[in-house]
């Protein structure tokens, strides 16, 4: 396992695109949240707009709030995973790795381990940011861990997104098309499908679609408030969403495995 | 001697096109084994299958009498189709990845880069290399860790004449050191100069698989011309030891048994009162044999 990760590290440590995209994630996530927390980004017009989210940076709300924004910023890392994987096809280094003595599954598992490590690092970064934002904005640390499961939800969401990105990359093989399809699916297609399914079903089963299932774990922070005021109809539990998201991760894994074992490289 | 590679009944199709049709042969240890064939005959497909980047529809292969394929590949240096490296990494850093996968030490990198003449460029990125340099790096990567077998697919692609000669010498030298070398090429001249065995493929069929000297033995050709070609042909038909006479481009091409040389033919013609204006001994090349078999 360490050997596989070590070789992945050799591949990326001198790759500028990796550092740029990872750097943008690291830089922009706190910057964005700093602006939201301090009222630079508001609802409504100009300086008179309302800062809805200024309270969302104290413990324990900070976990769900940061998690929500990070779930949007994880797109940077998803695109990075697609680029790293499709590069192998473009340069035909996937073949070379096998010719040099990996079996096909070692090539695959190196990438799977990479997305788990990236997810773990993104989650740890979220935890650090949460400690800083929460520490600055909370009077006490007594509520620090009361919504801490949301940090775990972010890890699951990250594996879901990056796993989906890895599957798309292995399936499509072409970098531009894979990135295009990933963005199109995550932003548009899934919402269309979700709308149709939820419209015709008595429960919101459309929320169980691949990326939506984990998005439901970290909803937009104001939604919690809205739920208290507006009747929301039937809902599904967080446990359901978490289990379904894990199920999707397994589906990506086995589908990718099948493609790699069955086809020519 | 035990075969170092056994190929058994391998078939492969791409949709309606059958690229390999039940190909079987053994590669003995210590030989230089040439896989020949025109473009599209299935050479690269065959090598891709035995290196596990392509999946055969039927058949099997075994390295070293049945070693696990991925373990075997770590002892095989291969160059398949194109040099495949990370474009944004230097030659040196690319070889670091190759060495890590093959579980070799890193110190060998300098030796192989010197061997293929790229040591001065070791820190240049792969994307700045010329085609010939990329090819050299691929050959260097194949030599990393002193493999027991080399599998080379068109190894002289993109090399200049000096480079081609260097690679040929390198192959001979490595073979003398005991390496088994499997080389696919459509450059027959090159194969003829280095190979001890050949297999010839055409449209996915194995046409022939034998030691080179057996393929070429006793098949010398003599070309003759005289003023009266009809008379010459008539006279030669009665000479013993001439198996075939063919008229081509104003000369008669004679296929002769061993023991018949140009002096004997000349003497025979003079005894028949025919003066030859042209007499040429042609050693049968792999090229003529190849053309005979594949056309």
């Amino acid at each position: 396992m360490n050997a596989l990760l070590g070789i992945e590290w050799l591949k990326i440590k001198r790759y500028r695109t990796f550092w740029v995209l990872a750097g943008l994630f690291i830089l922009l996530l706190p910057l964005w949240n700093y602006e939201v927390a301090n009222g630079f980004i508001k609802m409504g017009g100009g300086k008179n707009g309302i800062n809805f989210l200024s309270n969302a940076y104290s413990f324990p709300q900070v976990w769900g709030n940061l998690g929500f924004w990070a779930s949007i910023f994880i797109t940077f890392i998803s695109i990075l995973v697609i680029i790293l994987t499709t590069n192998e096809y473009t340069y035909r280094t996937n073949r070379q790795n096998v010719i040099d003595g990996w079996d096909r599954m070692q090539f695959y598992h190196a990438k799977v381990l990479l997305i788990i490590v990236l997810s773990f690092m993104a989650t740890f970064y979220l935890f650090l940011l949460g400690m800083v934002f929460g520490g600055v904005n909370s009077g006490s640390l007594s509520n620090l861990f009361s919504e801490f499961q949301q940090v775990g939800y972010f890890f699951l969401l990250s594996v879901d997104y990056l796993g989906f990105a890895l599957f798309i990359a292995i399936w499509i093989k072409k970098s531009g098309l894979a990135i295009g399809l990933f963005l199109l699916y995550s932003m548009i297609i899934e919402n269309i499908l979700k709308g149709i399914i939820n419209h015709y079903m008595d429960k919101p089963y459309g929320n169980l679609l691949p990326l939506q299932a984990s998005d439901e774990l970290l909803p937009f922070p104001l939604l919690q408030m809205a739920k208290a005021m507006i009747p929301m109809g039937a809902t599904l539990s967080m446990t359901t969403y978490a289990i379904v998201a894990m199920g999707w991760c397994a589906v990506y894994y086995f589908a990718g495995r099948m493609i790699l074992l069955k086809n020519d490289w | 001697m035990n075969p170092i590679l056994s190929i058994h009944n391998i078939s492969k199709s791409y949709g309606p096109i059958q690229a390999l049709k039940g190909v079987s042969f053994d590669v003995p240890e210590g030989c230089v084994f040439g896989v020949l064939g025109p473009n599209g005959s299935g050479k690269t497909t065959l090598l891709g299958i035995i290196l596990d980047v392509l999946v055969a529809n039927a058949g099997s292969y075994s390295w070293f009498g049945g070693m696990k394929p991925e373990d075997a590949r770590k002892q095989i240096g291969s160059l398949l189709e194109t040099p495949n490296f990370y474009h944004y990494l230097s030659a040196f850093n690319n070889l670091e990845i190759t060495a890590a996968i093959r579980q070799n030490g890193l110190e060998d990198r300098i030796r192989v880069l010197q061997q293929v003449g790229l040591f001065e460029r070791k820190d240049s990125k792969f994307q700045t290399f010329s085609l010939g340099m990329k090819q050299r790096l691929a050959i260097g990567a194949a030599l990393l860790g002193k493999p027991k077998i080399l599998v080379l697919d068109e190894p002289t692609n993109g090399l200049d004449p000096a480079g081609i000669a260097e690679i040929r010498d390198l192959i001979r030298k490595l073979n003398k050191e005991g390496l088994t070398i499997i080389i696919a090429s459509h450059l027959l001249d090159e194969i003829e100069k280095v190979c001890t065995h050949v297999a010839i493929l055409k449209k996915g069929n194995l046409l022939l698989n034998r030691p080179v000297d057996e393929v070429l033995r006793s098949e010398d050709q003599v070309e003759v011309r005289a003023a009266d070609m009809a008379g010459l042909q008539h006279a030669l038909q009665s000479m013993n030891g001439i198996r075939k006479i063919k008229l081509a481009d104003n000369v008669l091409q004679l296929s002769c048994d061993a023991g018949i040389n140009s002096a004997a033919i000349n003497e025979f013609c003079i005894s028949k009162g025919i003066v030859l204006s042209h007499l040429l001994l042609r050693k049968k090349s792999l090229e003529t044999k190849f053309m005979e078999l594949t056309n």
Side-chain angles (χ1 to χ4, degrees), chain B:
Chain B
M1 208 175 344
N2 284 331
I4 206 156
L5 166 67
S6 276
I7 292 174
H8 185 66
N9 220 6
I10 284 186
S11 295
K12 167 80 182 168
S13 50
Y14 299 105
I17 295 155
Q18 224 181 343
L20 290 172
K21 299 169 189 163
V23 172
S24 305
F25 60 81
D26 287 345
V27 175
E29 190 171 356
C31 70
V32 181
F33 195 98
V35 180
L36 295 185
N39 294 330
S41 58
K43 304 183 293 286
T44 300
T45 300
L46 183 64
L47 297 186
I49 288 169
I50 61 175
L51 294 171
D52 197 32
V53 295
L54 301 176
V55 183
N57 299 117
S60 60
Y61 61 89
S62 76
W63 292 103
F64 303 106
M67 187 187 278
K68 247 172 94 183
E70 60 270 26
D71 293 336
R73 286 200 301 277
K74 292 189 175 77
Q75 301 181 36
I76 302 168
S78 311
L79 161 59
L80 187 66
E81 235 177 341
T82 47
N84 309 319
F85 292 98
Y86 297 90
H87 287 208
Y88 50 87
L89 293 180
S90 68
F92 215 49
N93 291 328
N94 265 300
L95 291 185
E96 188 178 357
I97 293 177
T98 313
I101 292 177
R102 297 172 72 94
Q103 296 169 3
N104 298 143
L106 288 178
E107 49 302 331
D108 206 29
R109 287 183 294 171
I110 294 170
R111 178 186 69 90
V112 299
L113 283 172
Q114 282 168 338
Q115 196 152 24
V116 295
L118 283 178
F119 184 68
E120 285 71 32
R121 295 294 301 272
K122 72 182 171 61
D123 295 318
S124 304
K125 284 185 179 166
F126 180 72
Q127 60 197 2
T128 66
F129 280 12
S130 71
L131 181 58
M133 290 164 71
K134 288 175 176 173
Q135 192 75 6
R136 281 163 186 269
L137 182 61
I139 293 167
L143 297 175
L144 209 58
K146 305 203 169 166
K148 294 196 177 72
I149 306 179
L150 281 183
V151 177
L152 303 172
D153 183 15
E154 307 284 1
T156 54
N157 253 357
L159 296 183
D160 54 25
I164 293 175
E166 266 173 55
I167 296 304
R168 194 189 304 131
D169 292 343
L170 183 64
I171 288 171
R172 283 211 191 96
K173 181 175 148 253
L174 292 170
N175 182 239
K176 272 208 193 93
E177 289 169 11
L179 265 79
T180 306
I181 296 163
I182 300 169
I183 174 169
S185 184
H186 56 262
L187 300 175
L188 298 156
D189 192 37
E190 186 181 299
I191 294 266
E192 190 177 346
K193 282 176 188 148
V194 296
C195 288
T196 57
H197 291 66
V198 285
I200 297 183
L201 287 173
K202 185 195 175 189
K203 290 187 178 164
N205 290 304
L206 183 67
L207 297 182
L208 174 134
N209 163 34
R210 235 170 280 159
V212 169
D213 48 2
E214 250 176 64
V215 175
L216 300 178
R217 191 191 315 161
S218 70
E219 296 234 10
D220 291 347
Q221 275 194 336
V222 179
E223 279 179 15
V224 290
R225 183 161 64 217
D228 174 14
M229 291 294 274
L232 177 64
Q233 186 162 7
H234 182 73
L236 285 171
Q237 270 158 1
S238 65
M239 183 177 171
N240 288 327
I242 292 189
R243 277 190 285 133
K244 215 170 96 190
I245 301 175
K246 197 174 132 201
L247 181 65
D249 299 336
N250 254 341
V251 295
L252 291 178
Q253 288 178 344
L254 314 176
S255 301
C256 312
D257 287 344
I260 301 290
N261 55 27
S262 42
I265 291 169
N266 199 5
E267 211 179 324
F268 177 81
C269 289
I270 288 169
S271 75
K272 296 281 177 187
I274 300 169
V275 177
L276 296 173
S277 59
H278 172 87
L279 174 63
L280 179 68
L281 176 69
R282 257 188 204 288
K283 264 213 113 35
K284 187 150 191 173
S285 69
L286 201 50
E287 184 169 333
T288 29
K289 183 76 188 175
F290 180 79
M291 294 308 248
E292 256 174 48
L293 281 166
T294 56
N295 285 329

